Every structure is written in structure tokens, then in C-alpha cells.
Amino acid sequence: MSLVGTCDDCGVVGVPLRYKPETPVSEQPRPSVCERCRSHRESQATTFVRCEDCGDRVPESRATGMDVSPPDGYYPEFIHFCPGCAPTDDAEQTEGSA
Ligand SMILES: [Zn+2]
Ligand SMILES: [Zn+2]
């Protein structure tokens, strides 16, 4: 299926539209960006991070980031988990008595 319309990103009119590469197609009601913007988004979307747990490389957009910066906050530090290793919220109940 090819749909011609206006690109969401650059606003060019009357171009064949493509799905956004970083969003699941099932979440997009219709293609909405032009080919140029699609490949631009794709090049930006392919930032890979390493899963702290299993070592797999996963796209940053799909990874779960965790802030592990030291208390002094001098060097902000983040670790990432793939969807399979992402810790769940209710697994950890910390008491905050500050
Ligand atoms: Zn465009
Ligand atoms: Zn993993």
C-alpha cells in the first residue's frame, strides 16, 4: 500500500509516505513521514546499548535505562537492560527515610 500525503516531519506535500521506523507499525494508524525523513529517523534510532544483564545489544529506544549515578552526582551514569532483563517495578521496595 502506498499512501501519498504530507510528511509529518518536514511538511513536504504530495510524497509517498512511510511508517516511522522507531515506532511499531501496529501503533501507527497510517504512514506519516516521507522517505527522506524515514531514513533520517532510522539513522537516529539505531543507537544501541548493551544490556547490563545478558550483554545483548539492544536499540536504546527499547532498552530500560537505570540511573546509577553516584550520590555526589559528579559523573552521571546509566546502565541499560534489554526488554527480557528489565527489572520490574514491584521487585524492589526500598524504604525512603531521608
Ligand atoms: Zn519528510
Ligand atoms: Zn538482557
Side-chain angles (χ1 to χ4, degrees):
M1 181 186 90
S2 114
L3 184 81
V4 173
T6 304
C7 172
D8 260 12
D9 275 9
C10 65
V12 66
V13 176
V15 290
L17 294 176
R18 307 289 302 268
Y19 286 102
K20 295 173 182 172
E22 79 281 16
T23 308
V25 169
S26 58
E27 289 176 18
Q28 302 180 59
R30 71 185 84 81
S32 55
V33 293
C34 71
E35 176 62 35
R36 185 181 296 184
C37 291
R38 189 197 67 84
S39 41
H40 178 67
R41 279 171 172 268
E42 196 168 52
S43 68
Q44 288 200 321
T46 44
T47 302
F48 284 85
V49 295
R50 196 178 62 83
C51 174
E52 193 70 16
D53 215 9
C54 68
D56 277 0
R57 284 164 62 80
V58 288
E60 192 172 22
S61 57
R62 291 187 171 268
T64 300
M66 186 177 285
D67 187 350
V68 291
S69 306
D72 62 20
Y74 198 75
Y75 291 108
E77 200 178 335
F78 288 86
I79 58 175
H80 295 88
F81 296 98
C82 73
C85 300
T88 50
D89 281 345
D90 52 12
E92 191 180 349
Q93 288 281 337
T94 46
E95 269 179 43
S97 51

